[in-house]
DNA sequence: AATGAAACGTTAAGATC
DNA sequence: GATCTTAACGTTTCATT
């Protein structure tokens, strides 16, 4: 799939392999725009222009370029979980089985697919070290956590065991990356 | 500070103590609005109205209500770290000192303040369990990670030791909470 | 190639029913 | 909650450097 894309694109002038785009060069103005939009995704182009020292149409063109390059992936509304009744956050380290009963489906693929279907899992990363995966899970309370662990996570054939840490306090939590 | 707010608000009809607002009741339409805005923070009120089966002005009023209740905390642009050259994500478990040389400043307060000033730390939570804090850190590469650990984190007087896991692959990462 | 200024179409916001 | 009106905003065009 990737190799065919590579072949196809070597035959042309420009080349864009998914996930391997060249790192877009960002000047000082681009960075100011990104910082502002990461703080307020609905800031007007006039306000952006004033901050960047450009006209709004010039800013608009830069924003479009950043969007098309994937530097700006999306615009979203942020909802604090505790405001919608999700008062308990857990980080769960998960270790997978080495193999499952069905040799055709390995634990990793099974787990990857399952994680996508579990709405309480908002973050999942494969990690170096002893435990295979780290999950961030949002639940209403301890009872819902117990149900997620007992009925969902540990019941899954790909999962060997897990270790949980609960969030006592959130000191910092930003979607803004430093640019 | 909180007690004076409590006194002031007990004298009135309605009462809003910071961080202790009653969980706003959300009906099916509110949830649809929240789901849509968490997917696309710039969706028009006409489009929202069509999805929710309401007029755009009715949707606008609901959104304002959700904003004022803090259910919608903010609107932001999302920038994938790898698109701005931050190719390495680390989860760092940090254990704090029991006390510092200066008995007036405890490690916890020192660490809290320091974390806010470190731009590469995008997430920091106090956890149950052995290790006191979990950080998510975005850096360019292993060299920058080494510098952060050696020159910043472990140099800080509040920090006793830490354990790092690096992200191999990100299976799921959403800012949208399940509503 | 990137910018700035102005014109145009769309959207948000407020008043009224 | 819906309709209508006005002001603000986003978007395109074109001249300019």
């Amino acid at each position: 799939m990737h190799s065919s894309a590579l072949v196809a694109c070597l035959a042309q002038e420009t080349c864009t392999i998914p996930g391997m785009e060249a790192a877009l060069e960002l000047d000082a103005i681009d960075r100011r725009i990104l910082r502002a939009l990461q703080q307020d995704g609905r800031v007007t182009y006039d306000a952006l222009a004033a901050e960047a020292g450009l006209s709004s149409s010039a800013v608009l063109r830069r924003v479009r370029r950043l969007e098309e390059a994937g530097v700006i992936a999306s615009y979203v509304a942020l909802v604090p979980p505790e405001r919608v009744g999700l008062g308990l956050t857990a980080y769960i380290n998960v270790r997978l089985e080495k193999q499952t009963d069905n040799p055709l489906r390995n634990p990793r693929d099974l787990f990857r697919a399952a994680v996508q279907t579990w709405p309480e899992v908002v973050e999942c990363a494969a990690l170096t070290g002893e435990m295979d995966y780290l999950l961030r899970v949002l639940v209403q309370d301890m009872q819902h956590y117990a149900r997620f662990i007992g009925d969902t996570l540990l019941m899954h054939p790909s999962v060997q065991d897990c270790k949980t840490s609960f969030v006592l306090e959130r000191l910092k939590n930003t979607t803004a990356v430093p640019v």
Side-chain angles (χ1 to χ4, degrees), chain A:
Chain A
M1 203 176 238
H2 269 199
S3 57
S4 66
L6 183 58
V7 169
C9 97
L10 284 174
Q12 301 180 358
E13 281 295 304
T14 61
C15 181
T16 313
I17 304 170
M20 296 199 71
E21 290 84 0
L24 189 65
E25 276 305 314
L26 302 173
D27 65 16
I29 295 176
D30 289 324
R31 289 175 207 282
R32 302 187 79 171
I33 291 172
L34 286 177
R35 278 194 289 270
L37 282 172
Q38 286 190 110
Q39 291 298 316
D40 178 4
R42 285 183 162 187
V43 65
T44 65
Y45 292 112
D46 279 356
L48 270 181
E51 202 166 325
L54 260 64
S55 70
S56 66
S57 61
V59 167
L60 174 63
R61 267 192 296 273
R62 281 172 179 264
V63 171
R64 289 281 177 274
R65 184 169 135 271
L66 293 167
E67 289 169 355
E68 275 151 29
V71 177
I72 298 171
S74 61
Y75 302 88
V76 300
L78 297 182
V79 175
E82 65 273 16
R83 281 275 178 276
V84 292
L86 299 168
L88 184 61
T89 302
Y91 285 94
I92 309 179
N93 280 103
V94 177
R95 182 166 18 212
L96 297 194
E97 298 282 358
K98 300 304 167 203
Q99 55 196 33
T100 55
D101 297 342
N102 184 342
L104 294 176
R105 309 261 297 165
N106 67 59
R108 184 171 161 278
D109 290 341
L110 280 175
F111 185 71
R112 286 173 63 99
V115 159
Q116 305 301 325
T117 70
W118 296 334
E120 48 273 83
V121 177
V122 293
E123 189 178 343
C124 174
L127 296 187
T128 59
E130 289 177 44
M131 302 302 271
D132 296 330
Y133 292 93
L134 178 63
L135 311 185
R136 180 158 56 94
V137 173
L138 304 179
V139 288
Q140 286 185 241
D141 51 34
M142 217 30 110
Q143 289 189 356
H144 284 82
Y145 166 76
R147 286 190 50 199
F148 174 71
I149 288 286
D151 298 350
T152 305
L153 188 63
L154 290 180
M155 281 294 100
H156 197 267
S158 68
V159 174
Q160 187 177 110
D161 62 354
C162 67
K163 278 186 188 171
T164 299
S165 296
F166 295 102
V167 171
L168 297 173
E169 188 186 8
R170 190 155 280 272
L171 270 66
K172 191 173 186 179
N173 185 34
T174 178
T175 56
V177 310
V179 288

